[in-house]
Amino acid sequence: MTAHAAARRRITTAFADAGVTGQLHAVDIDTGTALGVGSDTLVPTASVHKLCLVATLYRQSSLGLVDPTRPVDIPAENRAPGATGLSAMRDAARLSLRDLASLAVAVSDNTAADLLWDTLGLDTVNATMTGLGLTRTHAVQTMRELFATVREDAAGEPAALTDPAVVARLRALDPTRTNRSTPREITALLTAVWRDEVCPGEYGEELRAVLGLQAWSHRLAAGFPFDDVRVSGKTGSLPTLRHEAGVVEYPDGGRYAVAVFTRAASTDVTLPAADAVIGGAARIAVDALRT
Amino acid sequence: MDLLLHLRYFRTVAEEQHFGRAAARLRMAQPSLSQRIQRLERELGVRLLDRGARGATLTPAGRLVLAETDHLLAAADRLAATVARVHSGAAGTLRAAVPPGLGATAVAALLTAFRERSPGATLELRELPTAEQTAELTAGTLDVGIVRHPCPAPGLAFGPTLHQPLGALLAADDPLADPLTGPAELPAAALTGRDLVLFPRAEAPALHDETLTACARHGCTPTAVLAATGPDFTRGLVLSGGAVALVPRTPDEAGTVWRPLHGTTVTWRTSTAWPEGKDSPAVRLFTDTAHTVLREHADMRTAPSTRMVFPRPASEFPL
């Protein structure tokens, strides 16, 4: 275990070097061997909670309770705020539930996610998590509602979100008042998805394929810049928060679920080192699990 | 008038001393041969042969011209042969280059094998880093080179790719080098926490990064990366203890020991390169020779089976 202790020390140092505090949990999906730093700390999940949402869609589909191909009308108005996907688009559209799930994962589309929250309901998603034994993973709001609290708390220009005093009072950053989980429970969810325990067969395969669509490589994937290593992940971001949880698969069959949650001291929106340390810390953990 | 051709006809008639027999030997009509000899005599302004009923005999002038003709035709034959050998790559000067660190044995074997295959040719071999080789190939001051990949491709053609596995050069008293307790093949991860000696990044930035990425991919995270250009300095750093050099197979000498990495995890891709469309016979001969020599004397192997590639959405292209 001294090797794991050394890895934990290196992870803590890496977080400090990058100017963040962080929690991490990494687990070998097949053996259950795990390594963590603050694994059971309750954290605000931000967009990482879309993992729970999309997993619930596929679980409900596999149980015959939801048709994932059901089309949804998307009006031009009242979309959840967001920089990507339907949130950034202007005109009415029509997409299936599972294509909304793809958008919610690939570009963290808040509108696509909210249409799924509206369809499935917070309670169904929470019940699904409880059913998987994840009792500390809980959603209290949709993305739309989450950003409403941010607007209220900031009560000012967007620049207010880089004001340390404003950031300090955001409810969206308080895990007792927003969507929440722990690093250990998020890797448990990913482990269940990869072990076909959330939904079996083709539903499981499609769910994993959807989770592989995420387009951003500056966080978790940055730590594994290898052609023959597959990284699936879901990011989460709010002022000072940078997260990503995902699964790293090696060609020798090794597969590892990793969740990294960070909070930066700086309120700057652009902090490349803070993004990169998510991959860096995950690599240290996975390397330790592989030796 | 084709002087050399006409001189050949003249020599045949002189040897046969008879127009009819000479024409038969040359497989041509006698009147045609006679006309050509007359034309040669007009051209030189001297009578070469006396024609009689029993044959043709050389005049005194003809005897002198015949002697010169022999010299001239022999020289022409040598010229033709030389041209043919230049065309076949067996003669001429080939300007070629090898990358640093190819190893003394491989360089010697390359020179020897090329000389054996092409005795008349001169191989002008220099040691140049890949970046300088590609610049010179493009500029036309180099005919062919052995390059390390990644190598910029525009305007260049490449021979088949070979893989040269890297191993660890250790101090002989290093626990990892112990023949009894140390592993015969080192796992890359065993080098974690050491100082790693590698060629200077400026020499080939892409290869430098690719090498360290391959190490990282297999669980080796060095504490520091030290730059060394030549084998002596590299060995010195290793001998001082603590540092491990990442180099292709190297003979064990002067207190150092080379160990392969388990599973040939880190390799340098190597091939010949020449300006596109300029694969002269000499270039092809060099390429073939290099391919053989590098496999026999530089521990290079043909490409391993295709490896898995998972392109990511951010790569913006599907495979």
Side-chain angles (χ1 to χ4, degrees), chain B residues 141-190:
Chain B
T141 52
L142 190 66
D143 298 315
V144 63
I146 297 175
V147 294
R148 305 278 195 200
H149 293 266
C151 172
L156 296 184
F158 298 101
T161 302
L162 291 169
H163 291 247
Q164 185 174 35
L166 298 193
L169 189 68
L170 304 156
D173 57 2
D174 193 304
L176 289 175
D178 192 305
L180 297 174
T181 58
E185 290 192 335
L186 291 179

Side-chain angles (χ1 to χ4, degrees), chain A residues 106 214-225 231 235 244 275-276 279, chain B residues 312-315:
Chain A
Q214 209 240 131
W216 296 321
S217 52
H218 60 318
R219 291 190 183 164
L220 185 59
F224 303 88
V231 181
T235 53
E244 186 159 357
D275 288 312
Chain B
R312 298 172 182 190
S315 66

Side-chain angles (χ1 to χ4, degrees), chain B residues 98-166:
Chain B
V98 295
L102 199 61
T105 320
V107 171
L110 182 64
L111 285 164
T112 310
F114 190 85
R115 202 183 302 134
E116 274 170 12
R117 291 192 191 192
S118 178
T122 308
L123 182 62
E124 196 183 284
L125 194 65
R126 288 182 288 155
E127 187 183 60
L128 287 177
T130 295
E132 285 170 41
Q133 285 196 41
T134 53
E136 291 215 20
L137 287 169
T138 311
T141 52
L142 190 66
D143 298 315
V144 63
I146 297 175
V147 294
R148 305 278 195 200
H149 293 266
C151 172
L156 296 184
F158 298 101
T161 302
L162 291 169
H163 291 247
Q164 185 174 35
L166 298 193

